[in-house]
Amino acid sequence: MTFEAAWAGWILLGFGSVVLAGGAVAMPAGWRRFRPVRGFPKRLVGILLAAATAGLLAVLLRLVTGPGGGPDRLWALGAFVLLPAAVALYPDDRPPTSLGWTSVAIVACAGGIGVAYPDLYVKTGLAGMVAYLLLLAVQWWRYEHTDSAGRRAVLWLALGTVPGPMLAAIIGFAGSGVTAAVAFGFAWVVFIACLGIGLVAPDLRDVRGLAVTVVVHFVAGLLVITVFATVLSIMELSAGRAVRPSPGALGLIAAACAAGYAPATRWLRVLIEVLLFGTRSDPLRSASRVGQRLSDDPIPALRSLRESLALPYAALVDGSGRVVAASGRPPESVARHALSATDDTLGHLEVGLRAGQQALHRGDQQVLAVLAPALAQLMHARTLRAQLQTSRAAVVTAVEEERRRLRRDLHDGLGPRLTGLAYAADAARNVLGRDPARAADLLTGLRAEAGEAIGEVRRLVEGLRPPSLDQVGLEQALRQQARHVLNAAGRPMAVDLTVTTPLPALGAAVEVTAYRIAVEALTNAARHSGGDRVDIALCVDRGALAIEVRDNGHQPSSWSPGVGLTSMRERVEMLGGTVITTTDTAGGLVSARLPLAAQPHQ
């Protein structure tokens, strides 16, 4: 490594360590949601600062005294003892699980040999190779034995170490000097940036997709360089060292390499994704992993789907286009997979494509196809739950409106009337001895007011439950009601009531609901159908009371039930029944089914 590259590298490491030390406090507000739960690694950052200090001092001493034992040993201390020890503690400031501090000590001792024998161990490159292999083993162990947040941080570290071998190949091919200084400086920048992101904000981006992209282009670049250098060497060997290839020949070689770059990246992406995330090549295993986390809250399942397929984004979208749940941030390119081939209202699963992808791989599509039915059931259950909540809210509203109506009738109608009765009784008592005639008049008025109060009470009681139901039953109560129905022209309607099966003893809720539905349908037919005949049919069918009210009206327009029948529909739904209203040129029909063993929803 050149002096300029070393100087720049250690300055960058020291500056990056200082930034990391203050980053936990001065982090931008927008990044704080990406900050890991674990505490900030003070020990790790301190060792990084010590390594940067040792490296800078080594560069300064070498500048003053020249190459020698002191600067070289100080260099080895910073580069092969302190820096590897800090990386071994990355990212949680603790040694790897089960390996303990022994692993950190081995890494530090391996670098300590370079402090003792810099000429033999450092200048030959053996120190760098040993440190790299030891850290690779330590971090690989950590990756296999840590949680998902720790794995993302380790992947950021791995991403930061990729430019090293790449730049070594570039420098070996292009030479040294300024190129080497710039290349090594860039490698330091990438390493420190990835190290810092892994410590402070490992969830800033989907590192797995980014790592695949970097590795793919890294390997493809090495292949292009290798092919170019190989072809060039073969041409020189075949034509002789004295004959250099012409610019045209070099252009053809470069064009061939460029043409093969895109296919090579596509092939390498598939290969590397299988090597790094091989479990997703088995659709059943990946789908099973996601299905285990599928619950009322779909976000854990979407997060597991992203982890299994290394996707940057996954979301459930309902039929209206509203995002129900999402994990990750949507990229520029997304793919959509319908949850049901027959029901568009269930929505679709939207997943983000990895960088450089134009479409999902076949294995990914298989995983989505396996998961789609379960997600469709989840969306259907959420829809039913929302409908149930809406229905319950409507029922509660109807009940409260009915209570308010009763309160108003009692307070504004019956209450003042009873108060007037009390005052009239007091007045009659006061004049009874001295003016019997006046007392008699007051008592007569009192009797009339009492009769009106009794009528008011009866009206309120009938509004709660028609007395005829208790007196003659459902069938006869409907027959009585049918005798007094007049159409819009004021002429009596012909009403035919048929009971095809004997009616059992009905519960109060079922009986009142059936009566209200029939009367409301009969009233609507008389007012709006334009016909002169209504047929009502009652029967017991498969454990339910079936009610049909059909008129012979001829209006072609669609008939909309009024407030009364709408409220009855809500009450029927509470009993677990159904109401269907239809109309055509042959007339209107109201059909209802009420379970005989119906229990109100709690």
Side-chain angles (χ1 to χ4, degrees):
M1 182 183 297
T2 64
F3 172 78
E4 293 82 0
W7 178 271
W10 289 115
I11 290 178
L12 289 171
L13 181 61
F15 178 75
S17 302
V18 173
V19 171
L20 288 175
V25 178
M27 189 189 310
W31 282 33
R32 295 190 179 180
R33 63 191 179 98
F34 301 108
R35 185 175 179 178
V37 177
R38 58 179 178 269
F40 192 76
K42 299 179 181 179
R43 184 187 298 114
L44 188 157
V45 174
I47 297 176
L48 284 178
L49 283 172
T53 303
L56 287 173
L57 288 176
V59 173
L60 290 174
L61 287 176
R62 189 167 184 174
L63 181 64
V64 174
T65 64
D72 291 347
R73 286 185 172 84
L74 195 57
W75 175 281
L77 175 65
F80 302 110
V81 177
L82 297 177
L83 183 58
V87 174
L89 295 175
Y90 177 91
D92 54 6
D93 220 21
R94 295 190 297 268
T97 303
S98 301
L99 295 182
W101 287 97
T102 303
S103 59
V104 181
I106 291 175
V107 170
C109 290
I113 300 176
V115 178
Y117 306 101
D119 293 335
L120 177 64
Y121 194 60
V122 175
K123 293 182 180 181
T124 59
L126 185 60
M129 182 181 299
V130 171
Y132 190 87
L133 292 177
L134 287 176
L135 290 176
L136 179 63
V138 168
Q139 290 299 336
W140 184 273
W141 179 273
R142 186 188 295 275
Y143 183 86
E144 295 293 332
H145 296 82
T146 188
D147 56 11
S148 58
R151 289 187 175 186
R152 288 191 291 272
V154 171
L155 285 176
W156 277 108
L157 176 65
L159 187 63
T161 59
V162 168
M166 180 189 295
L167 292 173
I170 293 175
I171 293 169
F173 181 76
S176 57
V178 178
T179 303
V182 173
F184 279 114
F186 176 75
W188 273 109
V189 170
V190 173
F191 172 74
I192 295 170
C194 292
L195 188 77
I197 292 174
L199 287 174
V200 177
D203 294 328
L204 182 64
R205 278 199 61 178
D206 181 18
V207 65
R208 303 215 303 180
L210 185 61
V212 169
T213 300
V214 171
V215 171
V216 164
H217 289 285
F218 165 57
V219 176
L222 289 182
L223 285 176
V224 168
I225 293 173
T226 303
V227 170
F228 186 87
T230 302
V231 173
L232 188 61
S233 300
I234 293 174
M235 292 179 62
E236 290 181 351
L237 290 176
S238 60
R241 289 283 182 177
V243 180
R244 303 288 297 178
S246 66
L250 293 177
L252 289 176
I253 299 173
C257 292
Y261 186 83
T265 55
R266 288 195 295 269
W267 178 79
L268 286 170
R269 180 177 293 277
V270 175
L271 177 62
I272 293 173
E273 285 177 352
V274 171
L275 292 175
L276 294 180
F277 318 117
T279 54
R280 71 174 185 85
S281 61
D282 184 355
L284 292 178
R285 183 179 300 177
S286 298
S288 175
R289 182 183 297 108
V290 178
Q292 291 174 357
R293 304 184 67 178
L294 192 61
S295 62
D296 291 339
D297 183 8
I299 291 181
L302 294 177
R303 187 181 299 118
S304 179
L305 176 65
R306 289 180 52 221
E307 294 175 353
S308 298
L309 302 185
L311 297 172
Y313 175 73
L316 275 176
V317 183
D318 62 16
S320 63
R322 182 178 62 90
V323 176
V324 176
S327 176
R329 292 188 298 171
E332 296 181 358
S333 300
V334 296
R336 295 175 176 85
H337 186 90
L339 298 181
S340 174
T342 58
D343 189 355
D344 294 336
T345 61
L346 294 178
H348 60 270
L349 177 64
E350 189 173 275
V351 296
L353 298 179
R354 307 173 190 88
Q357 275 189 323
Q358 300 298 324
L360 289 175
H361 297 314
R362 180 179 300 177
D364 300 333
Q365 295 175 352
Q366 291 175 346
V367 173
L368 298 185
V370 172
L371 287 175
L375 294 174
Q377 291 296 325
L378 174 63
M379 294 294 288
H380 184 61
R382 290 174 66 92
T383 302
L384 293 179
R385 188 184 304 113
Q387 294 175 351
L388 178 60
Q389 291 174 350
T390 302
S391 177
R392 287 180 174 177
V395 169
V396 171
T397 301
V399 170
E400 292 301 323
E401 289 293 334
E402 182 68 12
R403 288 178 177 176
R404 184 164 61 178
R405 183 188 67 82
L406 288 174
R407 179 183 180 277
R408 183 174 60 249
D409 291 344
L410 292 173
H411 182 272
D412 299 339
L414 188 59
R417 194 178 298 275
L418 294 177
T419 302
L421 289 175
Y423 288 156
D426 291 339
R429 184 184 61 183
N430 292 335
V431 301
L432 181 61
R434 64 176 182 273
D435 191 353
R438 174 61 178 162
D441 291 339
L442 290 173
L443 291 176
T444 300
L446 182 63
R447 177 65 183 83
E449 287 290 331
E452 293 180 4
I454 292 172
E456 184 73 14
V457 171
R458 287 177 177 173
R459 185 182 66 81
L460 293 175
V461 170
E462 290 178 359
L464 296 176
R465 177 178 172 84
S468 57
L469 289 178
D470 295 325
Q471 296 168 1
V472 297
L474 175 62
E475 178 182 353
Q476 294 303 321
L478 290 177
R479 293 186 186 278
Q480 292 177 5
Q481 183 70 23
R483 297 192 189 105
H484 308 289
V485 178
L486 303 176
N487 61 14
R491 292 188 295 270
M493 293 281 290
V495 181
D496 182 20
L497 175 62
T498 304
V499 181
T500 58
T501 59
L503 299 182
L506 301 175
V510 173
E511 193 173 37
V512 171
T513 303
Y515 178 83
R516 298 294 189 197
I517 290 174
V519 171
E520 183 66 26
L522 185 60
T523 303
N524 280 334
R527 291 178 179 176
H528 308 296
S529 71
D532 58 3
R533 181 179 179 82
V534 178
D535 295 317
I536 303 176
L538 299 177
C539 70
V540 176
D541 179 30
R542 291 175 293 182
L545 176 63
I547 310 160
E548 285 192 359
V549 181
R550 183 184 296 275
D551 63 70
N552 65 343
H554 300 289
Q555 75 276 18
S557 59
S558 177
W559 171 62
S560 299
V563 176
L565 192 56
T566 300
S567 64
M568 286 304 102
R569 175 182 286 110
E570 295 169 352
R571 185 165 183 172
V572 167
E573 291 175 353
M574 287 191 65
L575 298 177
T578 57
V579 176
I580 300 175
T581 59
T582 59
T583 182
D584 52 31
T585 56
L589 173 65
V590 176
S591 177
R593 291 181 61 87
L594 300 174
L596 296 179
Q599 296 294 332
H601 292 297
Q602 300 297 324

